Amino acid sequence: PGTTVGIVGPTVAVKSMLISLLGHIYEPNEGAVLLDGHDLRQIKLLTLRHNVVYVLQETLLFSMPLRGNIALGAGDTSDAQIYRAMEQARLTNDLPQLPKGLDSVVGERGATLSGGQKQRTALARALVRNPKVLILDDALASVDMHTSAQIIDELRQSAGDGERRTSIIVSQRMAAVRYADKIVVLNEGRIVEEGDHDTLLARHGLYAEMYYREIQQAAEAIA
């Protein structure tokens, strides 16, 4: 533990299946998925759910104060813990926009929040639990690239500060994984490339192709 891993590739189904295996939603047909050297099938489900937290692209928020949405299911959670999680999720800067701060009711399904704010609220809810493994399944899709980079950098720094968390970031956007410690590129169910951003660009392979295509599409959108 204590690293960030980005998973990218053109096949969405394969990536979704992979993270489903990591969360023990499905079991492998052969082989084993290990967590700290332990087969996931041998770990009690309650223990696994406490240590492995999964954040989806589609957020599930309730018509209650922001504080309640972040602390939901986490037991006794102090405001200091909530603020720390919000800071890591880059949500604290949005508080002045909310009429009652943490006590602002966000509405059913987070109706009063933007798409990016919803996703960052879901991320803060995951981080307040301080999981050993954090899985983000395209959970930054509605967050702008600059903020995404800040969040990933924060996850890397907090892992280095002793929290010893492994963050697995699955994304369709290269920008969301660019600053990960390790990037895994999947294609047709196989790992075709591994390395950090600069190493993969230098190889001029599938990662570089997808990255430069994304840059070009962003430039065309601006134009």
Side-chain angles (χ1 to χ4, degrees):
T3 189
T4 56
V5 179
I7 300 178
V8 295
T11 310
V12 177
V14 173
K15 290 179 288 185
S16 296
M17 178 60 73
L18 177 61
I19 58 178
S20 294
L21 291 173
L22 293 172
H24 201 191
I25 298 172
Y26 299 112
E27 291 190 0
N29 294 327
E30 58 183 58
V33 180
L34 306 181
L35 177 61
D36 284 346
H38 301 284
D39 190 326
L40 289 188
R41 291 169 291 196
Q42 305 304 316
I43 301 175
K44 291 182 179 180
L45 198 57
L46 184 62
T47 301
L48 185 67
R49 294 289 179 261
H50 178 75
N51 289 283
V52 179
V53 176
Y54 185 15
V55 185
L56 296 166
Q57 179 178 356
E58 295 298 325
T59 57
L60 183 60
L61 301 179
F62 300 92
S63 185
M64 61 172 62
L66 180 62
R67 174 189 282 104
N69 271 287
I70 293 174
L72 186 67
D76 293 331
T77 307
S78 67
D79 279 0
Q81 290 173 299
I82 292 174
Y83 276 113
R84 171 60 178 156
M86 290 178 64
E87 183 179 338
Q88 290 179 300
R90 290 298 183 267
L91 191 60
T92 48
N93 291 341
D94 297 79
L95 278 180
Q97 302 174 25
L98 303 176
K100 296 182 179 179
L102 277 178
D103 293 318
S104 299
V105 176
V106 302
E108 194 67 33
R109 302 183 67 85
T112 63
L113 303 177
S114 68
Q117 288 172 330
K118 292 178 187 178
Q119 289 192 327
R120 285 179 286 134
T121 299
L123 177 57
R125 177 192 290 165
L127 290 170
V128 83
R129 289 161 171 74
N130 194 24
K132 293 289 189 298
V133 179
L134 175 66
I135 303 174
L136 306 182
D137 184 6
D138 236 0
L140 300 177
S142 298
V143 180
D144 66 85
M145 293 184 182
H146 177 69
T147 305
S148 293
Q150 288 185 327
I151 291 171
I152 294 171
D153 187 54
E154 174 65 34
L155 294 177
R156 292 177 63 197
Q157 288 187 30
S158 60
D161 290 340
E163 293 188 2
R164 293 186 59 76
R165 177 188 302 119
T166 294
S167 299
I168 300 174
I169 304 163
V170 182
S171 181
Q172 300 297 310
R173 292 164 47 191
M174 302 299 104
V177 302
R178 176 176 178 173
Y179 298 102
D181 297 303
K182 180 178 181 180
I183 300 170
V184 177
V185 185
L186 300 177
N187 190 27
E188 297 182 356
R190 296 182 179 275
I191 296 175
V192 295
E193 292 179 307
E194 293 180 73
D196 61 20
H197 174 75
D198 292 335
T199 300
L200 292 176
L201 282 188
R203 289 178 183 166
H204 304 289
L206 179 59
Y207 178 84
E209 177 186 334
M210 293 189 297
Y211 177 76
Y212 288 122
R213 184 189 304 133
E214 185 173 285
I215 294 296
Q216 181 179 358
Q217 290 173 344
E220 290 174 352
I222 293 174

